[in-house]
Amino acid sequence: GQRRFVCLTPLLVIGLAGYALWRVRIAIVGPPGETGARATAERVGSVVLAIAYASLCVYTVRFLAESEGGESTEPDTVTKTLLDEPYGVALVIAIGLVMLGVAAYEAHKALTRGFMDDLETSRMSPRARKLAAVTGSAGHGALTVTSTLVGVFLIKAAVEHEPREAVGLDGALQEVVDQEIG
């Protein structure tokens, strides 16, 4: 269970870092074949996505380091602080719903292979296109699972007003690892 996951974690780190760098490239150079307002929107979106995926990469590295060191994952302190605020429960639920929305978007990308539209597939060999399709679907599928877990745990923490239920990506990954089929 956990040993196998920790062995695969470096691959996840490489994938997340690669995607973040690809989004940085699009933010700087612009999307292929796009101009005007659409290209500007894509660049801005790429900055946001680069930050998000770089953050996921950092969380994954942190999870890997904690797994190797035998330390347990602490609950998300930001969520704990938010839940103590008067508006905190509603805000944490809203963040959880946003994460579920991200999960739905990632699932759509994985199932429809819509991410292939963002690639310059005409410059790829048939084998490279197939590899991109398979790894892209797997990556978006993994993001679907982690986004769903984070969203569900945030909503559960808010509804039960139990800050210990709040987890970030590292806690969500630990929950999966701790399961028998994890």
Side-chain angles (χ1 to χ4, degrees):
Q2 187 167 359
R3 171 177 276 174
R4 183 176 27 186
F5 178 77
V6 172
C7 291
L8 293 175
T9 305
L11 296 175
L12 180 60
V13 169
I14 292 166
L16 290 169
Y19 189 75
L21 290 172
W22 179 60
R23 282 299 180 174
V24 167
R25 178 197 171 275
I26 290 176
I28 294 170
V29 181
E34 297 291 337
T35 58
R38 185 169 169 92
T40 302
E42 181 82 22
R43 283 181 167 190
V44 171
S46 288
V47 169
V48 172
L49 287 170
I51 292 167
Y53 282 92
S55 299
L56 288 172
C57 184
V58 169
Y59 275 120
T60 305
V61 168
R62 185 174 140 219
F63 175 77
L64 179 61
E66 288 176 356
S67 293
E68 289 177 354
E71 299 174 21
S72 63
T73 305
E74 293 296 319
D76 187 337
T77 57
V78 174
T79 306
K80 287 170 55 176
T81 303
L82 282 174
L83 286 175
D84 290 336
E85 297 295 324
Y87 58 86
V89 171
L91 184 58
V92 172
I93 289 173
I95 294 169
L97 291 172
V98 167
M99 291 304 297
L100 292 177
V102 168
Y105 172 78
E106 295 296 343
H108 179 265
K109 285 282 214 180
L111 294 172
T112 64
R113 294 189 172 175
F115 57 88
M116 295 295 286
D117 297 338
D118 298 331
L119 303 176
E120 296 179 24
T121 55
S122 63
R123 297 176 58 189
M124 294 179 180
S125 69
R127 184 175 178 185
R129 275 194 299 276
K130 184 174 182 175
L131 181 63
V134 170
T135 57
S137 290
H140 284 283
L143 289 169
T144 299
V145 171
T146 56
S147 297
T148 300
L149 289 171
V150 171
V152 166
F153 284 123
L154 284 171
I155 293 169
K156 183 178 181 207
V159 168
E160 295 177 0
H161 200 20
E162 183 57 54
R164 284 179 276 147
E165 293 293 330
V167 297
L169 175 62
D170 50 350
L173 292 174
Q174 188 63 52
E175 289 287 334
V176 172
V177 169
D178 288 345
Q179 301 303 312
E180 187 174 317
I181 62 169

